[in-house]
């Protein structure tokens, strides 16, 4: 195609596009005469492929407008479910305006769903249908929304405040964009808002944004899952050469498990990884790996994630698993080009070379990207079944679990789990500070999790029934938390704890917390001026007690060794007693468990 022909093609196409929202296009939307192309792709040869037009009842979006793992059915907006002609026109106008504001397809689907729900309620009564959008009918709709419930795991609950607010936003959208339509008479709540009407304000709003709802995968589930899935990665070469589909699926799921667990990626980011899309970098004799993929959540685009070596191994294994599918995909591209099926060529080129390819049984074994919904709702829960756990595992739990474990590792705790993370030392602050390509939102989530963990630790220190031991700082906290008059000044013990704890730095020494704001090399943190030992350290001190008891049983350590072991036992007993432990009972339990003769010091 010559340059002149290309210009003419572009000009012709632009002329067919639906116009930008304006007064004249609004008038045409009201009378139903507005038309034009709304979704399309540009082909490699400079021509265009139309997907849908404004006048169509179904708007289809190209694969490039959403994440790689999005199902084709979720790339469609169906206006045909709205029976009333004027209401359908309003819904199209609202969605079209929001498209011009660059809302994602998923957000547009939610907007249409909430509009559809409102319109169905309106049409359920002749009165509301005749009156249209008024303050009176809006108030009635609020009362209706307040009666709605949701069912999850056979448990019926009222809708959350944020869900109610989203339903009520539809009324504000109608007033904002469709005031010129006959149906819209007045603002739904002129001196209020959808959020206020839904109760999504004040404490309800603070609770929603301040407390993470996603659960952390408990250690009792996570450790067996790590062991089970790691065994599949260790047998990857054997499984790749076998023809057992079940083992291949579990190997694939295990690789995805480790990518989610060790990077903090969202599921669509994992499913968007291409073969070999990682690099390594060595700093101070430590090798760091960076995985590249695309993030659609915050329109970040191409970004990198810090990862341990096991994550890159998972990528290579998934690349080998998907090799036959990649070969079929390349043949399918050639076939689609011969058939001038430009939409199929575009779809296949969007997913080519990705590590999570699959076949769609519902579409004649067409090559596609694994569905994030399938992974979350079927494959991850299946991993739990393999270890006989009833934990409801889903992909979004990994992100918070990653953040929580990374923060604990930074504090120096949970070191026993480092084996499962391939001894990955996480010093993220510096790495994120010097790399603009890393996922900034994940770093913010790490910091948020760090604050949550630190606040929980410090709040426990100020609880009257929470035993703590240590030097000067621990004694000051004990004194403050018992001062009733002091508590009254702050209104509550919790407020007082927040006021004090905000200025207390914290890091872990493994067997205690150090509150020194400078580097501290003290090896007796339980006696140090800045040291605090709390209930979280009980397992460590019990373990140390076991070690000293075993040492006392040895015949070849000499008097000096025996004296050191006895001193160590006294140290452990002192701390454990301060934490409210009956040391003699603990010794008896250790004796039964470890078969050690109890020696009273």
């Amino acid at each position: 195609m010559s340059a002149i022909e290309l210009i003419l093609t572009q000009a012709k196409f632009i002329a067919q596009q639906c116009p930008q929202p304006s007064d004249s296009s609004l008038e045409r939307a009201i009378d139903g005469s507005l038309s034009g192309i709304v979704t399309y792709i540009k082909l490699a040869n400079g021509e265009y492929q139309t997907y849908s037009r404004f006048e169509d009842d179904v708007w289809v979006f190209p694969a490039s407008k959403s994440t790689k793992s999005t199902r084709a059915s979720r790339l469609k907006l169906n206006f045909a479910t709205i029976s009333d002609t004027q209401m359908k026109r309003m819904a199209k106008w609202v969605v079209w305006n929001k498209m011009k504001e660059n809302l994602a397809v998923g957000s547009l689907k939610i907007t249409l769903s909430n509009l559809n729900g409102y319109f169905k309620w309106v049409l359920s009564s002749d009165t509301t249908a005749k009156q249209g959008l008024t303050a009176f009918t809006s108030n009635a709709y609020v009362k209706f929304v307040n009666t709605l419930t949701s069912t999850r795991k056979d448990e019926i609950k009222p809708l959350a405040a944020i869900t109610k607010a989203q339903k009520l936003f539809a009324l504000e959208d109608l007033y904002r964009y469709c005031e010129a339509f006959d149906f819209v008479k007045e603002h739904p709540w002129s001196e209020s808002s959808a959020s206020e009407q839904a109760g999504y304000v004040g404490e309800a709003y603070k609770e929603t944004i301040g407390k993470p709802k996603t659960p952390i995968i408990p250690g009792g589930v996570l450790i067996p899952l790590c062991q089970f899935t790691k065994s599949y990665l260790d047998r990857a070469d054997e499984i790749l050469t076998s023809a057992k589909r079940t083992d291949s699926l579990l190997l694939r799921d295990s690789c995805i498990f480790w990518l989610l667990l060790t990077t903090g990626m969202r599921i669509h980011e994992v499913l968007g990884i291409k073969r070999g899309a990682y690099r390594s970098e060595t700093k101070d004799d430590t090798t760091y790996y960076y995985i590249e993929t695309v993030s659609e959540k915050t329109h970040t685009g191409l970004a990198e994630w810090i990862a341990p070596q096991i994550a890159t191994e998972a990528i290579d294994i998934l690349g080998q698993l998907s090799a036959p599918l990649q070969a079929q995909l390349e043949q399918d591209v050639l076939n689609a080009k011969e058939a001038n099926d430009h939409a199929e060529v575009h779809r296949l080129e969007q997913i080519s070379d990705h590590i999570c390819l699959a076949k769609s049984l519902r579409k004649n074994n067409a090559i596609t990207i694994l569905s994030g919904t399938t992974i979350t709702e079927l494959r991850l829960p299946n991993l739990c079944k393999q270890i006989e756990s009833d934990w409801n595992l889903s992909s979004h739990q990994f992100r918070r679990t990653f953040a929580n474990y990374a923060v604990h590792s930074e504090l120096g705790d949970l070191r026993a789990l480092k084996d499962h993370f391939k001894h990955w030392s996480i010093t993220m602050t510096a790495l994120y500070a010097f790399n603009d390509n890393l996922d900034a939102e994940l770093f913010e989530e790490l910091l948020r999790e760090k604050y949550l963990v630190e606040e929980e630790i410090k709040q426990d220190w100020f609880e009257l029934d929470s035993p703590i031991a240590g030097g000067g700082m621990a004694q000051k906290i004990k004194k403050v938390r018992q001062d009733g008059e002091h508590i009254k000044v702050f209104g509550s013990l919790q407020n007082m704890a927040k006021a004090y704890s905000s200025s207390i730095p914290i890091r872990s020494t493994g067997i205690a917390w150090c509150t020194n704001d400078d580097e501290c090399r003290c090896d007796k943190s339980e006696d140090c001026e800045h040291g605090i030992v709390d209930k979280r350290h009980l397992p460590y001190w019990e373990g140390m007690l076991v070690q000293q008891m075993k040492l006392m049983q040895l015949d070849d350590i000499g008097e000096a060794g025996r004296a050191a072991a006895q001193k160590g036992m006294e140290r452990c007993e002192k701390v454990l007693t301060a934490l409210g432990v009956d040391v003699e009972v603990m010794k008896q339990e250790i004796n039964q468990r470890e078969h050690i003769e109890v020696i009273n010091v």
Side-chain angles (χ1 to χ4, degrees):
M1 183 182 293
S2 67
I4 294 177
E5 289 175 324
L6 182 60
I7 292 172
L8 291 173
T9 298
Q10 291 177 337
K12 182 179 179 181
F13 179 79
I14 291 171
Q16 295 180 65
Q17 281 187 269
C18 198
Q20 291 288 329
S22 63
D23 290 342
S24 60
S25 57
L26 171 59
E27 291 174 2
R28 292 168 60 194
I30 292 172
D31 65 24
S33 62
L34 184 61
S35 64
I37 297 169
V38 292
T39 59
Y40 61 91
I41 56 170
K42 187 176 181 179
L43 306 177
N45 61 4
E47 295 184 355
Y48 295 86
Q49 173 79 42
T50 299
Y51 271 63
S52 50
R53 300 177 60 86
F54 188 91
E55 59 268 30
D56 296 338
D57 274 354
V58 178
W59 293 0
V60 181
F61 291 78
S64 56
K65 290 297 182 182
S66 191
T67 65
K68 298 291 196 316
S69 60
T70 303
R71 290 176 177 171
S73 60
R74 298 194 176 187
L75 289 170
K76 297 179 181 179
L77 299 180
N78 187 2
F79 297 94
T81 55
I82 303 174
S83 58
D84 182 87
T85 301
Q86 182 182 202
M87 291 177 181
K88 184 187 296 184
R89 292 173 183 172
M90 286 190 290
K92 286 186 176 182
W93 184 247
V94 169
V95 172
W96 172 245
N97 276 271
K98 285 185 172 287
M99 277 183 63
K100 298 292 103 179
E101 297 171 5
N102 293 320
L103 254 68
V105 179
S107 297
L108 295 175
K109 285 184 74 70
I110 292 172
T111 296
L112 178 57
S113 175
N114 288 329
L115 285 169
N116 198 3
Y118 170 65
F119 288 143
K120 285 182 178 178
W121 174 83
V122 168
L123 294 173
S124 66
S125 165
D126 290 339
T127 302
T128 51
K130 289 178 181 177
Q131 289 187 345
L133 180 64
T134 66
F136 176 79
T137 57
S138 298
N139 182 57
Y141 187 61
V142 170
K143 293 179 179 177
F144 168 74
V145 169
N146 283 332
T147 67
L148 298 178
T149 58
S150 63
T151 303
R152 188 173 183 180
K153 294 183 180 179
D154 298 325
E155 184 178 1
I156 300 176
K157 291 183 177 180
L159 293 185
I162 185 173
T163 306
K164 293 179 184 179
Q166 288 174 339
K167 290 184 175 294
L168 300 181
F169 286 147
L171 281 65
E172 293 184 349
D173 286 338
L174 285 171
Y175 183 78
R176 177 184 176 188
Y177 299 111
C178 300
E179 190 179 1
F181 282 80
D182 290 339
F183 178 82
V184 180
K185 304 295 194 301
E186 57 186 352
H187 194 285
W189 27 74
S190 58
E191 296 183 0
S192 182
S193 67
S195 295
E196 185 176 25
Q197 294 293 317
Y200 188 50
V201 292
E203 291 302 317
Y205 174 74
K206 289 180 182 178
E207 184 175 345
T208 300
I209 64 170
K211 294 183 179 180
K213 294 185 179 64
T214 303
I216 295 169
I217 305 169
V221 175
L222 185 58
I223 293 175
L225 279 172
C226 286
Q227 294 168 337
F228 175 80
T229 54
K230 181 62 166 57
S231 70
Y232 272 81
L233 268 65
D234 291 341
R235 295 190 296 114
D237 290 340
E238 170 196 335
I239 295 171
L240 285 166
T241 56
S242 72
K244 293 183 179 179
R245 176 171 170 76
T246 301
D247 283 351
S248 295
L249 288 176
L250 285 171
L251 175 60
R252 182 197 69 186
D253 298 343
S254 296
C255 290
I256 292 172
F257 171 92
W258 278 95
L259 283 166
L260 288 167
L261 178 63
T262 62
T263 64
M265 290 185 189
R266 302 175 183 88
I267 185 61
H268 85 267
E269 292 157 350
V270 169
L271 297 177
I273 298 173
K274 291 187 176 182
R275 285 190 281 181
Y278 60 83
R279 64 183 179 86
S280 63
E281 181 177 280
T282 301
K283 293 181 180 179
D284 300 326
D285 297 325
T286 301
T287 300
Y288 298 93
Y289 296 88
Y290 297 85
I291 297 174
E292 182 183 85
T293 183
V294 174
S295 177
E296 302 289 351
K297 176 69 174 180
T298 54
H299 307 288
T300 302
L302 208 60
E304 289 186 323
W305 279 259
I306 301 173
Q309 186 175 356
I310 191 172
T312 66
E313 293 170 1
I315 290 175
D316 291 338
I317 293 169
L318 287 169
Q320 293 177 70
L321 280 170
S322 65
L325 297 175
Q326 175 64 27
Q328 182 181 328
L329 182 150
E330 291 168 2
Q331 182 59 51
D332 290 348
V333 169
L334 295 175
N335 295 341
K337 285 181 177 179
E338 290 179 3
N340 289 322
D341 189 345
H342 302 301
E344 180 66 0
V345 171
H346 174 77
R347 185 188 72 81
L348 291 171
E349 288 178 344
Q350 288 292 311
I351 64 174
S352 180
D353 233 18
H354 284 69
I355 59 173
C356 292
L357 297 177
K359 286 185 178 181
S360 175
L361 298 178
R362 293 180 296 179
K363 292 190 174 182
N364 298 321
N365 289 329
I367 303 300
T368 183
I369 289 283
L370 272 171
S371 163
T373 303
T374 298
I375 292 293
T376 292
E377 295 182 357
L378 297 176
R379 302 309 304 173
L380 291 177
N382 180 62
L383 287 178
C384 284
K385 289 180 182 177
Q386 302 301 314
I387 63 167
E388 298 181 348
S389 170
D390 60 358
W391 180 259
N392 186 27
L393 185 65
S394 58
S395 60
H396 61 277
Q397 294 170 10
F398 285 90
R399 191 169 171 90
R400 185 170 179 230
T401 301
F402 169 83
N404 186 270
Y405 276 63
V407 166
H408 275 91
S409 180
E410 189 178 60
L411 290 172
D413 206 348
L414 299 181
R415 291 169 296 170
L417 285 176
K418 288 181 70 177
D419 286 340
H420 297 291
F421 288 93
K422 285 293 186 182
H423 298 275
W424 184 26
S425 175
I426 304 172
T427 52
M428 292 199 164
T429 304
L431 292 171
Y432 271 90
F434 291 103
N435 192 337
D436 293 335
N437 293 323
L438 293 174
D439 182 11
E441 188 184 358
L442 178 58
F443 183 51
E444 291 174 4
E445 192 156 337
L446 284 162
L447 289 178
R448 185 162 49 248
E449 195 67 32
K450 178 180 174 69
Y451 296 145
L452 286 169
V453 171
E454 288 185 357
E455 183 179 342
E456 181 184 350
I457 292 168
K458 294 172 185 177
Q459 285 283 349
D460 284 346
W461 292 350
F462 285 87
E463 292 293 335
L464 290 174
D465 60 350
S466 180
I468 59 173
M473 178 62 77
Q475 302 312 312
K476 289 176 184 177
I477 291 174
K478 285 182 179 180
K479 185 177 179 180
V480 167
R481 70 188 190 181
Q482 292 173 345
D483 190 338
E485 293 301 317
H486 205 62
I487 294 173
K488 289 180 182 178
V489 173
F490 291 94
S492 70
L493 181 64
Q494 186 178 28
N495 290 339
M496 185 184 74
K498 284 184 178 180
Y500 275 98
S501 63
S502 62
S503 61
I504 301 176
I506 179 176
R507 66 175 180 273
S508 178
T509 65
I511 59 174
W513 302 115
C514 178
T515 62
N516 191 357
D517 59 0
D518 200 357
E519 186 175 5
C520 181
R521 298 185 181 277
C522 176
D523 62 351
K524 287 286 186 73
S525 47
E526 73 276 12
D527 291 326
C528 175
E529 175 71 17
H530 306 286
I532 297 177
V533 184
D534 64 21
K535 60 186 180 183
R536 292 172 176 80
H537 301 108
L538 277 173
Y540 302 113
W541 287 94
E542 182 181 356
M544 290 167 64
L545 180 63
V546 172
Q547 290 174 348
Q548 304 309 312
M549 290 173 66
K550 287 183 176 180
L551 283 172
M552 293 292 287
Q553 299 299 307
L554 300 177
D555 297 328
D556 56 353
I557 61 174
E559 288 302 318
R562 188 171 297 278
Q566 182 169 324
K567 190 176 180 180
M569 284 190 68
E570 290 173 352
R571 179 189 180 194
C572 294
E573 289 181 356
K574 178 183 174 183
V575 173
L576 290 167
T577 300
L579 293 178
V581 175
D582 188 326
V583 176
E584 293 306 316
V585 171
M586 177 178 279
K587 282 183 177 181
Q588 294 293 338
E589 292 175 349
I590 292 171
N591 178 46
Q592 294 173 8
R593 187 175 70 241
E594 305 284 345
H595 305 295
I596 302 172
E597 183 182 350
V598 176
I599 297 177
N600 291 318
V601 179

